[in-house]
Amino acid sequence: MSDLKARFADRIIDGKAFAEGLRARIGAAVGEIKVAHGLTPSLAVVLVGEDPASQVYVRNKGRAAEAAGIVAADHRLDATTSQDELLALVATLNDDPTVHGILVQLPLPDQIDPAAVIDAIDPAKDVDGFHVVNTGRLATGQMSGPNAALVPCTPLGCRMMLEDRLGDLSGLEAVVLGRSNIVGKPMAQLLTQASCTVTVAHSRTRDLAAVCRRADILVAAVGRPQMVQGDWIKPGAAVIDVGINRVPKPTDDDPDKMGLVGDVDFDAAIAVAGAITPVPGGVGPMTIACLLANTVTAACRQNGVEAPVW
Ligand code: NDP
């Protein structure tokens, strides 16, 4: 652990440890559901092509699912797969009652329109929460009952960590930096539902630093290495760093070494923030844990079983 991490250890939101706890609860719930209802949640993960990062993500998701007692099936398709071939696989998985969750790993090769594929997934099995039915349910606050939204995994995990650290979020000033469909927008929806006052900032926002400095909760999801500086952060704020950026991190032994950094300058931020997620070991592990939670939720809803509350 670096000196700074040791000095400010109580400020670190340990996403890895939080995710381990959540995964243990998911594993216990899966065991109970199997015994009580004879139901084994299952997840189909579809990977098209050989993008190395996607291969790692898919492998990690499969392993995590199996460790929680969820059946995980990989469907690996050639990089030259046509859109029609992929849609045919999605249709087969939609029709298979033993498959409860479907995840098509993004990005897809250029010949395939990701929106067409996401649209084709049965919303009840859309464990990524990207289908317009699920984004619509999230936007309209349909969060409980058999037709509740399946919520995108990354913002879901961020909200869990914030509530765990801060308790009731109502009335807090939240700034979400980034407005993508998979992180920024659903994050803003979840924080609005938690009764925060939410600002969504993006590449056209004027005086970004001043906007960020207003935030009691700052969620950075821009994909720009260490863009958020220490003096952009209100003293005591909770900072959630979603960014995963691969950058050179040369050492004496290995001048070509690469490493991961977030969208926040961690060393500067931890001296100011009240709480902060590290990269790696913050949001990333929670994203996978929430995928498992969504799979169990989807399996329960499809089988008339009351879904656990995570
Ligand atoms: P996108 O590229 O889809 O969106 C980035 C957003 O950041 C856009 O809204 C963009 O604004 C905004 N932005 C970009 N540059 C600037 C800038 N200089 N100033 C202000 N705003 C800016 O990214 P994602 O949302 O998919 O991902 C964001 C980051 O999170 C990435 O690093 C990604 O790897 C990581 N990620 C991590 C996950 C995890 O599990 N930890 C999961 C998903 C993503 P505009 O809309 O105006 O272009």
Side-chain angles (χ1 to χ4, degrees):
M1 192 185 273
S2 72
D3 287 351
L4 272 170
K5 278 192 172 165
R7 190 167 144 211
F8 296 117
D10 60 331
R11 297 186 184 180
I12 294 176
I13 301 175
D14 187 344
K16 191 161 171 269
F18 196 91
E20 274 164 19
L22 177 56
R23 282 167 56 172
R25 283 191 280 130
I26 293 167
V30 168
E32 283 165 23
I33 291 164
K34 271 185 202 172
V35 172
H37 304 283
L39 171 65
T40 303
S42 90
L43 172 67
V45 181
V46 181
L47 174 62
V48 185
E50 270 134 38
D51 176 62
S54 294
Q55 284 180 327
V56 172
Y57 291 141
V58 164
R59 193 167 58 238
N60 289 345
K61 287 168 184 172
R63 282 185 188 155
E66 278 164 6
I70 294 169
V71 172
D74 272 9
H75 298 266
R76 292 183 183 242
L77 304 179
D78 199 84
T80 58
T81 300
S82 70
Q83 181 165 309
D84 285 348
E85 286 168 322
L86 178 55
L87 291 177
L89 173 60
V90 169
T92 304
L93 297 171
N94 281 343
D95 290 343
D96 184 344
T98 67
V99 173
H100 306 115
I102 302 171
L103 180 153
V104 178
Q105 183 67 43
L106 302 177
L108 289 165
D110 290 346
Q111 73 275 17
I112 301 176
D113 172 13
V117 177
I118 292 166
D119 274 355
I121 296 172
D122 178 349
K125 299 188 178 187
D126 168 39
V127 284
D128 261 338
F130 296 162
H131 193 287
V132 287
V133 166
N134 283 313
T135 57
R137 286 173 176 163
L138 173 62
T140 53
Q142 203 171 318
M143 302 301 284
S144 59
N147 291 325
L150 284 166
V151 177
C153 305
T154 299
L156 183 60
C158 294
R159 175 164 155 180
M160 284 183 190
M161 288 191 286
L162 283 167
E163 286 181 331
D164 178 69
R165 178 59 72 116
L166 302 178
D168 182 9
L169 307 183
S170 66
L172 296 179
E173 192 86 37
V175 172
V176 179
L177 195 39
R179 56 176 165 179
S180 71
N181 289 333
I182 64 171
V183 189
K185 282 182 199 157
M187 187 76 248
Q189 303 279 9
L190 286 175
L191 291 169
T192 303
Q193 283 179 16
S195 297
C196 294
T197 304
V198 182
T199 302
V200 179
H202 45 74
S203 65
R204 302 296 184 90
T205 298
R206 276 179 283 162
D207 202 351
L208 202 49
V211 171
C212 291
R213 261 194 301 274
R214 293 205 307 256
D216 301 308
I217 293 171
L218 177 61
V219 181
V222 276
R224 301 271 181 260
Q226 299 176 311
M227 188 180 91
V228 175
Q229 305 292 301
D231 64 1
W232 294 25
I233 294 166
K234 178 175 174 177
V239 179
I240 303 290
D241 190 352
V242 180
I244 301 179
N245 306 290
R246 220 172 146 67
V247 296
K249 275 199 173 175
T251 61
D252 290 344
D253 295 339
D254 183 359
D256 299 325
K257 195 168 184 288
M258 301 291 285
L260 295 183
V261 296
D263 290 339
V264 177
D265 180 349
F266 181 88
D267 287 354
I270 197 170
V272 186
I276 182 167
T277 57
V279 177
V283 174
M286 280 302 287
T287 297
I288 293 189
C290 287
L291 171 69
L292 308 183
N294 276 352
T295 303
V296 177
T297 300
C300 288
R301 288 187 192 151
Q302 285 160 47
N303 289 277
V305 172
E306 193 176 340
V309 176
W310 309 110

